[in-house]
């Protein structure tokens, strides 16, 4: 897929920091914001980390040196946050925890334009608001989806209260970050 | 005898988890139960031992949709206990923050949760395919409400800038200026919204309710006022518990509230509108009249129109506050703890929210009582269902179930707050 040199790529980590494995998407985003040399550090709950939703758009110069067109964002995944987050982006890569019934830590990749996102896999941020599957469906209905949208799902195991990750999910976070980096590099050429 | 059951195992498009069970025997309703299985939250218990200044941030966590309401009731109750009154621009900023919450909460409910019911769509996503511009307008309105909360409250969900005595930081006038520009667009959008919802097909369902809300001498109520009803109640908020009591019901994790002696009462937008029409801004009054909304409106389905009118009011009021704003020298007034009891009620988007705290001399909380709007409306919802279903027993189950869900959503119930919601089951015998 060929993109113009000035296109904007938005990476969005979705999750809830205090619900166990649901933090996976946030932690992938946080890892991708780190300078390349530090990306090898073990990933876990980050005490005192910026709460989801309050993070400013972070220019991920560290992610792709010499490129200003990549931004990394963390969000709790409410529909309005997501629609706003991909507004104007040419390409969006989302990372979120899923419940697909597979082994914990398994990484899935969905190319949204090819198929609808299975709503039952993505836990909604709230029963009053919606999760990313509904945000994607609403984006489709309103013709407000970015031209390129890929969702990485990380199979979670424990969505209980607290900041403890399941070991398999903790391992999957750097792996998902690597896959996203590869995808970014392919996109940017 | 033919038996019929309507059961909605999980009610969608409401906050929290609950279900509805309806049993019909022959041509009469035999049983209606709103079952709340959202687990109890225990906020009142774990507030004990915490300091008075922690209450606004702790209680904000009760709800992600109306955290401002919890913060406002908490700070006003604490200030009542300490004998402090917040006035001037700090008081205005609290109203501005509340405007933001009403705009985002009402826009979410009107466009994404309730309107699909009236137009026969399964959800807002399907509605968006046929009415994309309406949904886009609703989303932008909601976003503007969120922006008000973010600017005044520090962030859009569970704001962190509210404290007993005022705020941690107050915005500068130039910081508010861009908001005013957005709010001017929102005023036109809210006016369009009133016209759009007024044209929705509206079920006939006039009921005789006791409406209860705050009433203030000059303003449409957010933070202050006396507790009044259309049946003669007129009391200070401090007397709330002498007139209203919570009770347990075996099938629900939420308490039900009752008016002492008289039973059922109704809180929320329809009650506020009914009791405070004359306190709306001229523009909101005009829009309501143009929409054909009677001042005496008693049809809970028309609450969607009232929410649109209140959204318009909140936008108008926010613009008024921003225009008149002069930044106060101090972000808060000093509050010294003392022992005593304080209580307050404010108007959450869903209705009256009552808090009472008993404090020791160091300001530690000895006892907390929180009565959210949804638990005050649960009995009325059950009564509405009973009366509504009785007249529509000839409808097939799927249509009846649909209309029952629509009826429950008239109240925009927040079950997470009330457990302290919805599957529907209809059983015909």
């Amino acid at each position: 897929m060929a993109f113009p040199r000035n296109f904007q790529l938005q990476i969005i980590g979705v999750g809830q920091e205090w619900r166990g494995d649901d933090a996976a998407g946030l932690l992938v985003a946080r890892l991708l914001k780190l300078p390349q040399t530090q990306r090898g550090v073990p990933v876990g709950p980050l005490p005192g980390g910026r709460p989801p939703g309050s993070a400013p758009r972070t220019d991920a110069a560290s992610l792709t040196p010499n490129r200003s067109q990549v931004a990394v964002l963390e969000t709790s995944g409410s529909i309005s946050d997501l629609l706003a987050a991909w507004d104007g982006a040419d390409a969006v890569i989302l990372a979120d925890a899923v419940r697909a019934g597979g082994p914990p830590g398994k990484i899935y990749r969905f190319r949204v334009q090819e198929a609808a996102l299975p709503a039952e896999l993505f836990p909604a941020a709230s029963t009053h608001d919606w999760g990313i599957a509904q945000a994607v469906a609403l984006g489709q209905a309103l013709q407000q989806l970015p031209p390129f949208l890929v969702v990485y799902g990380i199979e979670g195991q424990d969505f209980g209260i607290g900041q403890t990750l399941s070991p398999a999910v903790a391992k999957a976070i750097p792996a998902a970050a690597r896959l996203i980096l590869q995808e970014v590099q392919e996109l940017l050429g | 005898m033919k038996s019929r059951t309507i059961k909605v195992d999980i009610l969608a498009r409401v906050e929290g988890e609950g279900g509805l069970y309806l049993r019909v025997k022959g041509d009469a309703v035999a049983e209606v139960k709103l079952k709340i299985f959202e687990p109890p939250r225990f906020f009142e218990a774990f507030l004990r031992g915490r300091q008075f200044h922690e209450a606004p941030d702790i209680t904000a966590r009760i709800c992600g949709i109306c955290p401002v309401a919890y913060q406002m009731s908490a700070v006003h109750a604490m200030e009542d206990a300490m004998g402090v009154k917040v006035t001037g621009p700090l008081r205005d900023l609290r109203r501005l923050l509340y405007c933001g919450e009403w705009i985002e909460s009402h826009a979410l409910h009107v466009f994404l949760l309730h309107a699909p019911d009236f137009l026969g769509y399964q959800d807002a996503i399907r509605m968006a395919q046929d009415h994309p511009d309406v949904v886009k307008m609703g989303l932008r309105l909601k976003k503007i409400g969120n922006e008000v909360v973010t600017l005044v409250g520090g962030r859009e969900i569970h704001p962190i800038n509210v404290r007993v005595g005022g705020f941690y930081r107050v915005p500068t006038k130039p910081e508010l200026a861009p908001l005013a520009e957005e709010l001017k667009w929102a005023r036109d959008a809210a006016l369009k919204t009133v016209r759009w919802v007024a044209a929705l097909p509206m079920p006939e369902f006039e009921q005789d309710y006791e409406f209860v809300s705050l009433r203030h001498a000059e303003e449409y109520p957010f933070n202050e006022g006396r507790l009044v009803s259309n049946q003669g109640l007129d009391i200070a908020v401090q007397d709330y518990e002498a007139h209203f009591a919570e009770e347990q019901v075996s099938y629900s994790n939420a308490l039900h509230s009752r008016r002492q002696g008289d039973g059922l009462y109704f809180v929320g937008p329809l009650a506020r509108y009914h009791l405070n029409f004359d306190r709306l801004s001229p523009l909101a009054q005009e829009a309501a009249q143009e929409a054909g909304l009677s001042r005496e409106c008693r049809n809970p389905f028309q609450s969607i129109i009232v929410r649109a009118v209140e959204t318009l009011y909140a936008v108008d009021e926010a613009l008024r506050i921003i225009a008149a704003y002069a930044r106060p020298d101090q972000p808060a007034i000093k509050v010294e703890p003392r022992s005593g009891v304080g209580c307050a009620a404010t108007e959450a988007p869903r209705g009256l929210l009552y808090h009472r705290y008993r404090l020791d001399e160091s300001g530690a909380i000895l006892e907390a009582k929180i009565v959210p709007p949804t638990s005050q409306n649960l009995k009325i919802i059950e009564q509405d269902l009973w009366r509504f279903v009785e007249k529509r027993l000839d409808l097939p189950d799927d249509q009846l179930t649909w209309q029952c869900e629509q009826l429950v959503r008239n109240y925009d119930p927040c079950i997470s707050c009330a457990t302290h919601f919805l599957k529907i089951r209809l059983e015909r015998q």
Side-chain angles (χ1 to χ4, degrees):
Chain A
M1 193 161 189
F3 285 104
R5 297 293 294 171
N6 61 345
F7 93 121
Q8 293 296 315
L9 172 62
Q10 176 79 62
I11 298 171
I12 305 171
V14 179
Q16 220 296 4
E17 188 149 30
W18 293 91
R19 291 306 292 262
D21 293 340
D22 198 27
L26 299 176
L27 295 172
V28 169
R30 239 166 258 178
L31 198 56
L32 289 169
K33 284 184 205 170
L34 293 173
Q36 203 164 3
T37 49
Q38 290 176 29
R39 267 188 225 130
V41 299
V43 177
L46 306 175
R50 202 188 287 275
S54 74
R57 273 171 86 101
T58 305
D59 187 285
S62 58
L63 180 68
T64 49
N66 307 320
R67 291 193 191 272
S68 60
Q69 70 255 52
V70 183
V72 183
L73 177 82
E74 295 172 34
T75 167
S76 61
S78 78
I79 203 157
S80 39
D81 280 359
L82 287 171
L83 289 175
W86 63 54
D87 185 33
D90 299 293
V92 169
I93 300 175
L94 265 164
D96 194 7
V98 296
R99 296 187 218 223
K106 183 174 175 179
I107 300 169
Y108 307 84
R109 179 185 179 278
F110 302 89
R111 173 79 201 276
V112 169
Q113 283 82 348
E114 289 159 6
L117 216 47
E120 63 278 12
L121 301 188
F122 294 88
S126 136
T127 45
H128 216 138
D129 211 340
W130 290 325
I132 65 169
Q134 290 81 7
V136 166
L138 191 60
Q140 273 164 335
L142 297 175
Q143 299 184 321
Q144 285 184 340
L145 276 194
F148 179 91
L149 174 58
V150 163
V151 177
Y152 280 87
I154 299 166
E155 183 78 40
Q157 182 174 22
D158 181 3
F159 292 85
I161 290 168
Q163 282 197 299
T164 308
L165 288 179
S166 306
V169 174
K171 258 191 180 162
I173 286 163
R178 268 193 301 278
L179 289 170
I180 290 173
L181 274 175
Q182 273 172 22
E183 181 129 19
V184 169
Q185 270 145 16
E186 282 164 25
L187 282 170
L188 296 177
Chain B
M1 196 179 274
K2 195 178 163 229
S3 158
R4 205 172 162 197
T5 307
I6 286 187
K7 179 179 136 190
V8 174
D9 285 338
I10 297 267
L11 273 170
R13 284 184 271 137
V14 297
E15 176 68 26
E17 291 186 18
L20 170 62
Y21 175 80
L22 270 168
R23 190 162 55 84
V24 176
K25 205 166 179 179
D27 53 4
V29 180
E31 202 174 357
V32 176
K33 280 180 178 168
L34 265 178
K35 297 181 168 181
I36 308 299
F37 31 83
E38 174 92 7
R41 311 274 300 274
F42 305 117
F43 269 82
E44 289 163 328
F46 65 68
L47 278 158
R48 281 183 221 142
R50 307 303 294 238
Q51 279 295 307
F52 73 98
H53 59 79
E54 295 179 284
D57 289 321
I58 292 174
T59 58
R61 291 284 168 167
I62 291 174
C63 185
I65 305 292
C66 53
V68 170
Y70 284 91
Q71 294 192 317
M72 290 297 113
S73 287
V75 294
H76 282 281
M78 294 304 177
E79 289 157 9
D80 181 52
M82 316 289 181
V84 167
K85 198 155 176 61
V86 171
T87 56
L90 290 175
R91 181 183 184 277
D92 290 343
L93 279 175
R94 286 183 170 172
R95 278 183 74 78
L96 179 60
L97 181 61
Y98 232 140
C99 288
E101 178 159 286
W102 276 27
I103 296 167
E104 58 96 2
S105 177
H106 281 355
L108 171 73
H109 190 69
V110 167
F111 290 97
L112 298 185
L113 306 179
H114 210 194
D117 286 334
F118 289 84
L119 292 172
Y121 295 102
Q122 199 62 44
D123 56 38
I125 293 163
R126 267 155 270 201
M127 188 175 90
Q129 289 163 354
D130 296 335
H131 301 273
D133 293 338
V134 168
V135 173
K136 281 181 195 167
M137 181 168 78
L139 287 168
R140 188 166 164 196
L141 262 173
K142 179 179 184 298
K143 188 163 171 273
I144 293 170
N146 284 345
E147 284 167 9
V148 174
V149 175
T150 303
L151 188 71
V152 183
R155 64 180 183 198
E156 67 183 46
I157 300 174
H158 305 135
I160 33 78
N161 191 31
V162 171
R163 72 198 264 198
V164 180
F167 294 90
Y168 290 97
R169 180 190 179 274
V170 284
T172 61
K173 204 164 165 77
E175 282 173 336
L176 292 174
L179 261 191
E181 290 311 305
E182 285 289 287
L183 284 162
K184 284 178 194 156
W185 176 90
R187 187 162 51 187
D188 288 340
L191 198 52
K192 281 187 200 146
T193 305
V194 177
R195 291 173 184 150
W196 184 70
V197 294
L200 294 173
M202 205 55 66
E204 290 285 326
F205 190 61
E206 297 280 326
Q207 298 295 304
D208 190 17
Y209 298 114
E210 178 166 16
F211 290 118
V212 174
S213 84
L214 289 178
R215 180 163 169 86
H216 184 270
E218 288 145 25
E219 301 158 334
Y220 200 73
F222 284 126
N223 287 302
E224 287 173 48
R226 287 179 67 80
L227 266 175
V228 302
S229 87
N230 55 332
Q231 292 180 18
L233 179 82
D234 184 356
I235 58 168
V237 169
Q238 282 72 12
D239 296 327
Y240 175 87
E241 288 175 64
H243 293 264
F244 300 92
E246 290 177 299
E247 61 183 31
Q248 275 184 332
V249 289
S250 59
Y251 53 85
S252 171
N253 284 343
L255 298 171
H256 284 199
S257 282
R258 254 181 196 285
R259 173 113 144 77
Q260 302 273 30
D262 297 308
L264 312 190
Y265 64 105
F266 184 124
V267 301
L270 202 57
R272 284 193 293 260
Y273 173 85
H274 194 100
L275 295 161
N276 295 283
F277 176 86
D278 56 342
R279 301 286 188 263
L280 284 168
S281 61
L283 182 65
Q285 284 185 4
E286 220 174 279
Q289 279 163 340
E290 189 203 326
L293 192 65
S294 151
R295 289 179 63 156
E296 303 288 317
C297 173
R298 290 169 186 274
N299 179 352
F301 288 93
Q302 289 186 307
S303 65
I304 192 169
I305 312 176
V306 176
R307 278 189 191 91
V309 170
E310 285 197 336
T311 304
L312 177 60
Y313 171 76
V315 172
D316 228 11
E317 177 68 357
L319 279 165
R320 186 194 67 77
I321 293 167
I322 291 172
Y325 179 68
R327 192 181 198 219
D329 298 333
Q330 298 295 328
I333 56 172
K334 202 165 166 49
V335 179
E336 295 290 347
R338 69 178 195 194
S339 65
V341 176
C343 56
T346 70
E347 288 286 349
R350 283 149 203 83
L352 195 76
L353 169 61
Y354 174 80
H355 284 212
R356 172 174 53 80
Y357 300 96
R358 191 160 57 84
L359 307 167
D360 71 11
E361 61 284 356
S362 74
I365 298 168
L366 299 171
E367 191 191 346
K369 183 178 176 72
I370 296 172
V371 187
T374 296
S375 76
Q376 302 184 73
N377 276 336
L378 287 172
K379 281 208 177 301
I380 279 285
I381 302 176
E382 287 185 348
Q383 177 187 275
D384 272 6
L385 284 162
W386 194 290
R387 293 178 176 173
F388 186 79
V389 169
E390 229 161 37
K391 298 242 156 46
R392 288 164 181 79
L393 287 172
D394 51 327
L395 287 177
D397 282 7
D398 56 339
Q399 274 185 45
L400 194 54
T401 302
W402 179 290
Q403 293 196 1
C404 286
E405 287 198 58
Q406 180 179 0
L407 183 148
V408 172
R409 281 191 282 271
N410 288 337
Y411 293 84
D412 189 9
C414 186
I415 294 156
S416 308
C417 294
T419 55
H420 113 71
F421 181 115
L422 213 61
K423 293 183 179 179
I424 296 189
R425 210 174 86 173
L426 178 122
E427 202 173 290
R428 296 190 198 241
Q429 290 178 338

